[in-house]
Amino acid sequence: MESTKIDIFIPVRLGNTRLPSKALKIFNNKPLLFYLLQRLKKTKKIRNIVVCTTENPSDDLLVDFLTKNNYDVFRGSEKDILKRFFDASEQFKSDFIINVDGDDIYTDPNYIEKLIDKFEETNADFVDMEGFPFGFRSIGFTKTALEKIYTLKTTENTETGYRDFFVNNISINKQKLIYKNPFPKNIRFSLDYPQDFELAKIVFNKLGNDFHLEDLINLFNKEPELLKITDGLDE
């Protein structure tokens, strides 16, 4: 029997307002997106890692970086991420897709593997991550579930809140990967504001790029002053 084709899709675009071109912000001569891609390569059972960006010319620079460095890239709808995902899944013939947001630059491959395990153990259509710090909530869904959601949706703007399309569909078999370990409640692991970038430079200086979620939490527990850098920012 042919094995399930499992791919990671990373939605990224450069036309941000709060932190323009954030994915290509440079740390130690490499864009921050590079560190996420390199860490995700350590994930087992993954076939492809595809950066899903837009057809907008503002993303040409991102595509140039990806193609020059031999990363898979797909260009699709700017506002309709569900369409972008669906079209990418058609091109790459994906069976199960894991969505890792481009903002989630600290994503831990260990928990992506646990998400895959949950999918394989339960035969779920959709796997959510619950109880994790902000910036660590990836989702996984089958191509079948994506096609159902894509066919049923009545809007062409799914840029935000696309997770809810899966969560709110009662015909989809949903499972959760739950994180139960304690962590500071105001901890923030994302890249959306200039303060997030300042924090990222400190974190990568201290931990390098070979770390896991527990290493990050330990760092913030030992150095709680780091929490002040992003204190008060919106999710």
Side-chain angles (χ1 to χ4, degrees):
M1 181 181 294
E2 187 178 355
S3 60
T4 304
K5 296 185 283 293
I6 302 174
D7 296 332
I8 293 177
F9 286 2
I10 307 176
V12 181
R13 63 185 181 88
L14 297 184
N16 317 102
T17 55
R18 290 181 290 204
L19 185 60
S21 301
K22 55 189 175 183
L24 295 184
K25 289 290 184 185
I26 299 296
F27 171 74
N28 281 353
N29 300 315
K30 298 287 185 182
L32 284 182
L33 181 61
F34 167 83
Y35 296 98
L36 174 61
L37 291 166
Q38 288 300 107
R39 199 171 332 103
L40 289 176
K41 281 183 177 181
K42 300 172 185 176
T43 310
K44 300 171 184 174
K45 300 182 180 179
I46 290 296
R47 189 184 57 141
N48 298 312
I49 300 173
V50 184
V51 177
C52 296
T53 192
T54 82
E55 297 168 336
N56 194 308
S58 64
D59 289 316
D60 289 350
L61 191 62
L62 172 64
V63 172
D64 287 345
F65 163 74
L66 293 166
T67 53
K68 286 176 182 177
N69 289 277
N70 298 314
Y71 293 112
D72 287 324
V73 60
F74 177 84
R75 302 191 81 161
S77 173
E78 180 175 8
K79 295 295 184 181
D80 194 344
I81 285 189
L82 290 176
K83 175 174 172 54
R84 200 189 311 170
F85 284 165
F86 179 76
D87 291 345
S89 70
E90 290 276 277
Q91 177 172 316
F92 287 90
K93 303 188 185 306
S94 312
D95 294 325
F96 187 71
I97 297 119
I98 297 165
N99 164 214
V100 174
D101 285 340
D103 294 352
D104 296 347
I105 57 173
Y106 305 106
T107 297
D108 186 343
N110 283 1
Y111 285 97
I112 300 301
E113 290 170 13
K114 291 179 186 295
L115 189 155
I116 295 170
D117 291 342
K118 177 68 73 172
F119 159 67
E120 292 179 334
E121 291 164 5
T122 63
N123 199 31
D125 297 310
F126 174 80
V127 181
D128 203 351
M129 296 174 71
E130 187 174 280
F132 286 79
F134 179 66
F136 273 88
R137 281 193 66 192
S138 298
I139 56 175
F141 44 86
T142 62
K143 168 68 180 304
T144 303
L146 174 60
E147 186 169 8
K148 180 182 293 186
I149 294 298
Y150 175 69
T151 303
L152 290 174
K153 72 180 179 64
T154 58
T155 177
E156 294 183 356
N157 187 345
T158 60
E159 188 175 16
T160 59
Y162 53 87
R163 177 196 308 264
D164 294 338
F165 285 85
F166 295 94
V167 172
N168 296 331
N169 188 299
I170 61 173
S171 67
I172 288 177
N173 174 17
K174 295 178 277 286
Q175 295 288 334
K176 293 179 180 179
L177 178 65
I178 300 175
Y179 190 76
K180 298 179 179 179
N181 298 335
F183 56 87
K185 293 307 175 186
N186 58 336
I187 206 165
R188 177 185 170 85
F189 294 125
S190 188
L191 182 68
D192 205 27
Y193 294 90
Q195 296 95 317
D196 295 324
F197 180 46
E198 294 308 309
L199 179 61
K201 290 187 286 187
I202 294 170
V203 169
F204 283 110
N205 262 325
K206 289 178 177 290
L207 298 181
N209 198 37
D210 186 14
F211 57 78
H212 298 287
L213 174 53
E214 287 71 26
D215 298 318
L216 289 164
I217 293 173
N218 288 338
L219 173 63
F220 279 72
N221 283 331
K222 291 177 181 176
E223 302 185 37
E225 64 274 12
L226 294 176
L227 295 168
K228 297 177 182 178
I229 298 173
T230 57
D231 189 41
L233 297 180
D234 296 331
E235 292 190 0

